[in-house]
Short mmCIF file of all heavy atoms in Angstrom, two decimals:
data_model
loop_
_atom_site.label_atom_id
_atom_site.label_comp_id
_atom_site.label_asym_id
_atom_site.label_seq_id
_atom_site.Cartn_x
_atom_site.Cartn_y
_atom_site.Cartn_z
N ILE A 1047 45.21 76.06 25.10
CA ILE A 1047 43.88 75.49 25.40
C ILE A 1047 43.72 74.14 24.73
O ILE A 1047 43.25 73.13 25.30
CB ILE A 1047 42.76 76.44 24.93
CG1 ILE A 1047 42.75 77.72 25.85
CG2 ILE A 1047 41.39 75.74 25.06
CD1 ILE A 1047 41.81 78.79 25.33
N SER A 1048 44.11 74.04 23.45
CA SER A 1048 43.93 72.83 22.70
C SER A 1048 44.78 71.72 23.25
O SER A 1048 44.31 70.54 23.34
CB SER A 1048 44.34 73.08 21.22
OG SER A 1048 43.47 74.03 20.63
N GLU A 1049 46.00 72.01 23.68
CA GLU A 1049 46.84 70.93 24.29
C GLU A 1049 46.20 70.44 25.61
O GLU A 1049 46.26 69.26 25.88
CB GLU A 1049 48.24 71.51 24.51
CG GLU A 1049 49.06 71.62 23.28
CD GLU A 1049 50.54 71.93 23.64
OE1 GLU A 1049 51.00 71.54 24.72
OE2 GLU A 1049 51.22 72.59 22.82
N THR A 1050 45.66 71.37 26.36
CA THR A 1050 45.00 70.95 27.61
C THR A 1050 43.81 70.02 27.31
O THR A 1050 43.68 68.97 27.98
CB THR A 1050 44.50 72.23 28.36
OG1 THR A 1050 45.59 73.05 28.72
CG2 THR A 1050 43.74 71.83 29.62
N LEU A 1051 43.00 70.40 26.35
CA LEU A 1051 41.82 69.60 26.02
C LEU A 1051 42.24 68.28 25.45
O LEU A 1051 41.61 67.24 25.75
CB LEU A 1051 40.93 70.35 25.02
CG LEU A 1051 40.29 71.62 25.55
CD1 LEU A 1051 39.47 72.31 24.48
CD2 LEU A 1051 39.39 71.30 26.75
N GLU A 1052 43.28 68.21 24.68
CA GLU A 1052 43.77 66.95 24.11
C GLU A 1052 44.20 66.01 25.18
O GLU A 1052 43.94 64.81 25.14
CB GLU A 1052 44.90 67.26 23.10
CG GLU A 1052 45.32 66.03 22.24
CD GLU A 1052 46.33 65.17 22.93
OE1 GLU A 1052 47.06 65.59 23.81
OE2 GLU A 1052 46.36 63.93 22.60
N LYS A 1053 44.85 66.58 26.21
CA LYS A 1053 45.35 65.72 27.35
C LYS A 1053 44.15 65.15 28.10
O LYS A 1053 44.24 64.05 28.65
CB LYS A 1053 46.21 66.59 28.29
CG LYS A 1053 47.56 67.00 27.74
CD LYS A 1053 48.54 65.81 27.71
CE LYS A 1053 49.94 66.25 27.36
NZ LYS A 1053 50.09 66.94 26.11
N LEU A 1054 43.03 65.85 28.08
CA LEU A 1054 41.85 65.41 28.78
C LEU A 1054 40.91 64.62 27.88
O LEU A 1054 39.80 64.21 28.30
CB LEU A 1054 41.07 66.62 29.35
CG LEU A 1054 41.84 67.43 30.42
CD1 LEU A 1054 41.16 68.71 30.68
CD2 LEU A 1054 41.94 66.65 31.73
N GLU A 1055 41.35 64.38 26.65
CA GLU A 1055 40.66 63.56 25.64
C GLU A 1055 39.36 64.15 25.17
O GLU A 1055 38.39 63.45 24.88
CB GLU A 1055 40.53 62.12 26.17
CG GLU A 1055 41.89 61.51 26.43
CD GLU A 1055 41.91 60.06 26.74
OE1 GLU A 1055 40.82 59.38 26.67
OE2 GLU A 1055 42.97 59.50 27.04
N PHE A 1056 39.37 65.51 25.06
CA PHE A 1056 38.36 66.22 24.24
C PHE A 1056 38.88 66.31 22.84
O PHE A 1056 40.08 66.35 22.62
CB PHE A 1056 38.12 67.62 24.76
CG PHE A 1056 37.40 67.65 26.10
CD1 PHE A 1056 38.11 67.74 27.31
CD2 PHE A 1056 36.01 67.64 26.21
CE1 PHE A 1056 37.48 67.81 28.55
CE2 PHE A 1056 35.37 67.69 27.41
CZ PHE A 1056 36.12 67.76 28.59
N ASN A 1057 37.95 66.36 21.88
CA ASN A 1057 38.41 66.50 20.51
C ASN A 1057 37.66 67.62 19.77
O ASN A 1057 37.81 67.76 18.54
CB ASN A 1057 38.26 65.19 19.74
CG ASN A 1057 36.87 64.57 19.90
OD1 ASN A 1057 35.87 65.28 19.99
ND2 ASN A 1057 36.85 63.22 19.97
N LEU A 1058 36.91 68.40 20.51
CA LEU A 1058 36.19 69.52 19.87
C LEU A 1058 36.03 70.68 20.89
O LEU A 1058 35.61 70.42 21.99
CB LEU A 1058 34.82 69.06 19.40
CG LEU A 1058 34.00 70.07 18.56
CD1 LEU A 1058 34.67 70.27 17.23
CD2 LEU A 1058 32.56 69.53 18.34
N ASN A 1059 36.40 71.86 20.42
CA ASN A 1059 36.25 73.06 21.31
C ASN A 1059 35.46 74.10 20.48
O ASN A 1059 35.85 74.43 19.34
CB ASN A 1059 37.61 73.64 21.68
CG ASN A 1059 37.50 74.79 22.66
OD1 ASN A 1059 36.45 75.03 23.22
ND2 ASN A 1059 38.57 75.53 22.78
N PHE A 1060 34.39 74.55 21.07
CA PHE A 1060 33.55 75.58 20.37
C PHE A 1060 34.19 76.97 20.52
O PHE A 1060 33.78 77.76 21.33
CB PHE A 1060 32.13 75.54 20.93
CG PHE A 1060 31.44 74.25 20.67
CD1 PHE A 1060 31.27 73.30 21.70
CD2 PHE A 1060 31.00 73.85 19.43
CE1 PHE A 1060 30.66 72.09 21.45
CE2 PHE A 1060 30.37 72.68 19.17
CZ PHE A 1060 30.18 71.77 20.21
N ALA A 1061 35.21 77.21 19.73
CA ALA A 1061 35.97 78.45 19.73
C ALA A 1061 36.68 78.56 18.38
O ALA A 1061 36.90 77.56 17.69
CB ALA A 1061 37.00 78.44 20.87
N PRO A 1062 36.99 79.85 17.93
CA PRO A 1062 36.88 81.11 18.69
C PRO A 1062 35.60 81.86 18.38
O PRO A 1062 34.91 81.59 17.38
CB PRO A 1062 38.11 81.86 18.09
CG PRO A 1062 38.15 81.44 16.68
CD PRO A 1062 37.76 79.93 16.70
N VAL A 1063 35.32 82.89 19.20
CA VAL A 1063 34.26 83.88 18.95
C VAL A 1063 34.76 84.90 17.92
O VAL A 1063 35.86 85.42 18.07
CB VAL A 1063 33.90 84.58 20.28
CG1 VAL A 1063 33.00 85.80 19.96
CG2 VAL A 1063 33.25 83.62 21.20
N ALA A 1064 34.03 85.06 16.85
CA ALA A 1064 34.44 86.00 15.78
C ALA A 1064 33.45 87.24 15.74
O ALA A 1064 33.54 87.98 14.78
CB ALA A 1064 34.39 85.30 14.41
N ASP A 1065 32.65 87.38 16.77
CA ASP A 1065 31.69 88.50 16.82
C ASP A 1065 32.43 89.82 17.06
O ASP A 1065 33.34 89.86 17.87
CB ASP A 1065 30.65 88.30 17.87
CG ASP A 1065 29.83 86.99 17.65
OD1 ASP A 1065 29.32 86.89 16.58
OD2 ASP A 1065 29.78 86.18 18.61
N VAL A 1066 32.00 90.86 16.35
CA VAL A 1066 32.53 92.19 16.53
C VAL A 1066 31.67 92.88 17.62
O VAL A 1066 30.49 93.18 17.38
CB VAL A 1066 32.52 92.99 15.19
CG1 VAL A 1066 33.04 94.40 15.43
CG2 VAL A 1066 33.29 92.27 14.14
N ASN A 1067 32.26 93.15 18.80
CA ASN A 1067 31.45 93.71 19.87
C ASN A 1067 31.41 95.23 19.76
O ASN A 1067 32.31 95.92 20.27
CB ASN A 1067 32.02 93.30 21.24
CG ASN A 1067 30.98 93.52 22.33
OD1 ASN A 1067 30.16 92.62 22.58
ND2 ASN A 1067 31.02 94.66 22.98
N ASN A 1068 30.41 95.72 19.08
CA ASN A 1068 30.27 97.22 18.92
C ASN A 1068 28.98 97.70 19.59
O ASN A 1068 28.52 98.76 19.19
CB ASN A 1068 30.38 97.58 17.44
CG ASN A 1068 29.57 96.64 16.52
OD1 ASN A 1068 28.66 95.95 17.04
ND2 ASN A 1068 29.88 96.59 15.27
N ASN A 1069 28.44 96.94 20.50
CA ASN A 1069 27.26 97.41 21.26
C ASN A 1069 27.58 97.33 22.74
O ASN A 1069 27.80 96.25 23.27
CB ASN A 1069 26.07 96.50 20.89
CG ASN A 1069 24.77 97.01 21.54
OD1 ASN A 1069 24.76 97.60 22.59
ND2 ASN A 1069 23.66 96.84 20.80
N THR A 1070 27.67 98.49 23.39
CA THR A 1070 28.02 98.55 24.80
C THR A 1070 27.02 97.82 25.68
O THR A 1070 27.40 97.42 26.80
CB THR A 1070 28.19 100.00 25.27
OG1 THR A 1070 26.94 100.64 25.14
CG2 THR A 1070 29.22 100.77 24.52
N ASN A 1071 25.82 97.60 25.19
CA ASN A 1071 24.79 96.95 25.98
C ASN A 1071 24.66 95.49 25.67
O ASN A 1071 23.71 94.81 26.08
CB ASN A 1071 23.42 97.65 25.78
CG ASN A 1071 23.40 99.04 26.29
OD1 ASN A 1071 23.92 99.31 27.39
ND2 ASN A 1071 22.88 99.97 25.53
N ASN A 1072 25.63 94.91 24.93
CA ASN A 1072 25.58 93.50 24.65
C ASN A 1072 25.75 92.65 25.90
O ASN A 1072 26.84 92.76 26.51
CB ASN A 1072 26.65 93.14 23.62
CG ASN A 1072 26.43 91.76 23.01
OD1 ASN A 1072 26.14 90.80 23.68
ND2 ASN A 1072 26.58 91.70 21.69
N PRO A 1073 24.78 91.86 26.23
CA PRO A 1073 24.88 91.11 27.51
C PRO A 1073 25.53 89.78 27.43
O PRO A 1073 25.73 89.08 28.45
CB PRO A 1073 23.39 90.97 27.92
CG PRO A 1073 22.69 90.79 26.59
CD PRO A 1073 23.48 91.67 25.62
N VAL A 1074 25.86 89.32 26.23
CA VAL A 1074 26.33 87.92 26.08
C VAL A 1074 27.67 87.78 25.38
O VAL A 1074 28.36 86.79 25.57
CB VAL A 1074 25.26 87.12 25.27
CG1 VAL A 1074 25.13 87.61 23.88
CG2 VAL A 1074 25.51 85.62 25.37
N ILE A 1075 28.14 88.81 24.65
CA ILE A 1075 29.47 88.71 23.97
C ILE A 1075 30.49 89.49 24.77
O ILE A 1075 31.29 88.86 25.46
CB ILE A 1075 29.34 89.22 22.52
CG1 ILE A 1075 28.25 88.46 21.77
CG2 ILE A 1075 30.68 89.08 21.80
CD1 ILE A 1075 28.48 86.98 21.64
N GLY A 1076 30.51 90.78 24.70
CA GLY A 1076 31.39 91.56 25.54
C GLY A 1076 32.86 91.09 25.52
O GLY A 1076 33.53 91.09 24.42
N LEU A 1077 33.39 90.68 26.66
CA LEU A 1077 34.78 90.27 26.75
C LEU A 1077 35.17 89.06 25.90
O LEU A 1077 36.36 88.76 25.71
CB LEU A 1077 35.14 89.97 28.23
CG LEU A 1077 35.04 91.11 29.23
CD1 LEU A 1077 35.10 90.64 30.63
CD2 LEU A 1077 36.17 92.16 28.94
N ARG A 1078 34.17 88.31 25.45
CA ARG A 1078 34.44 87.21 24.59
C ARG A 1078 34.86 87.60 23.18
O ARG A 1078 35.39 86.75 22.46
CB ARG A 1078 33.17 86.35 24.48
CG ARG A 1078 32.68 85.81 25.86
CD ARG A 1078 31.31 85.25 25.75
NE ARG A 1078 31.23 84.08 24.91
CZ ARG A 1078 30.08 83.56 24.43
NH1 ARG A 1078 28.92 84.15 24.74
NH2 ARG A 1078 30.07 82.46 23.69
N SER A 1079 34.68 88.84 22.86
CA SER A 1079 35.06 89.33 21.52
C SER A 1079 36.45 89.94 21.55
O SER A 1079 36.93 90.40 22.55
CB SER A 1079 34.06 90.47 21.13
OG SER A 1079 34.52 91.16 19.97
N PHE A 1080 37.12 89.89 20.38
CA PHE A 1080 38.43 90.54 20.27
C PHE A 1080 38.31 92.07 20.13
O PHE A 1080 39.38 92.72 20.12
CB PHE A 1080 39.17 89.95 19.08
CG PHE A 1080 39.70 88.53 19.30
CD1 PHE A 1080 39.12 87.46 18.63
CD2 PHE A 1080 40.70 88.30 20.20
CE1 PHE A 1080 39.58 86.17 18.80
CE2 PHE A 1080 41.18 86.99 20.41
CZ PHE A 1080 40.65 85.94 19.73
N GLY A 1081 37.10 92.62 20.00
CA GLY A 1081 37.01 94.08 19.92
C GLY A 1081 35.90 94.59 19.02
O GLY A 1081 35.06 93.81 18.55
#
Side-chain angles (χ1 to χ4, degrees):
I1047 292 172
S1048 299
E1049 285 190 28
T1050 299
L1051 293 178
E1052 191 274 336
K1053 291 287 189 300
L1054 296 167
E1055 300 190 3
F1056 290 95
N1057 51 35
L1058 188 65
N1059 185 16
F1060 297 105
V1063 170
D1065 299 308
V1066 179
N1067 198 85
N1068 43 20
N1069 188 326
T1070 59
N1071 294 316
N1072 193 315
V1074 66
I1075 303 300
L1077 295 168
R1078 301 166 64 194
S1079 168
F1080 287 109

